[in-house]
Amino acid sequence: CARVADRVFCWGSNNSGQVGIGEPRDAHDGCINFCRLTPAEVIDGDGAALTGVLDLNVAYLGVCATRDDHSLWCWGAGISNVAAPLSIGGAPLANVAMHTSCSSDSIDRAVRYLTRDDQLRTASGAVEKACP
């Protein structure tokens, strides 16, 4: 995936929805693993382009983007075939300063994020920092 201005374009294997363009079986251009040979713009659940992207992290089977409202949107294994707000306990994440992933697990379990008030968190809760 690549960020172009405030939008995201992805290509490659889409077997887990990691290209972010819809149902893999319906959104490919002929190669194995439902892949996409040419870049396609990532969409949300309404079919609109994902905009306002400030930061992008590509993991093994998923992708996450921090948006200009400090929300975290993800797609791929464990989330959706299109971009959707990452929710924990039913509430969308907000106040995200930066994020990364920390395994080849599904993105909802692999993502690590730092809040704007300096709390390091995962989907299961706070993470103790090794350094102050």
Side-chain angles (χ1 to χ4, degrees):
C1 294
R3 184 172 62 94
V4 178
D6 72 335
R7 296 174 182 238
V8 178
F9 293 80
C10 294
W11 62 95
S13 178
N14 194 33
N15 59 319
S16 295
Q18 64 266 43
V19 175
I21 56 174
E23 186 63 40
R25 71 175 178 270
D26 299 331
H28 65 89
D29 56 10
C31 55
I32 63 170
N33 292 328
F34 305 109
C35 90
R36 191 69 195 196
L37 296 173
T38 55
E41 192 164 12
V42 173
I43 59 173
D44 65 17
D46 294 327
L50 180 67
T51 60
V53 174
L54 298 175
D55 189 28
L56 182 67
N57 178 259
V58 178
Y60 175 60
L61 292 175
V63 182
C64 288
T66 305
R67 295 183 69 198
D68 54 10
D69 64 357
H70 303 288
S71 61
L72 189 59
W73 287 58
C74 301
W75 57 96
I79 302 295
S80 175
N81 296 321
V82 295
L86 184 61
S87 295
I88 295 179
L93 288 180
N95 199 30
V96 175
M98 60 177 29
H99 69 280
T100 189
S101 57
C102 190
S103 80
S104 60
D105 209 340
S106 62
I107 199 68
D108 58 333
R109 290 187 290 234
V111 72
R112 306 290 186 263
Y113 63 98
L114 184 67
T115 63
R116 294 176 67 215
D117 52 353
D118 201 32
Q119 294 179 15
L120 184 59
R121 304 189 62 82
T122 69
S124 59
V127 175
E128 289 194 36
K129 296 179 191 174
C131 301

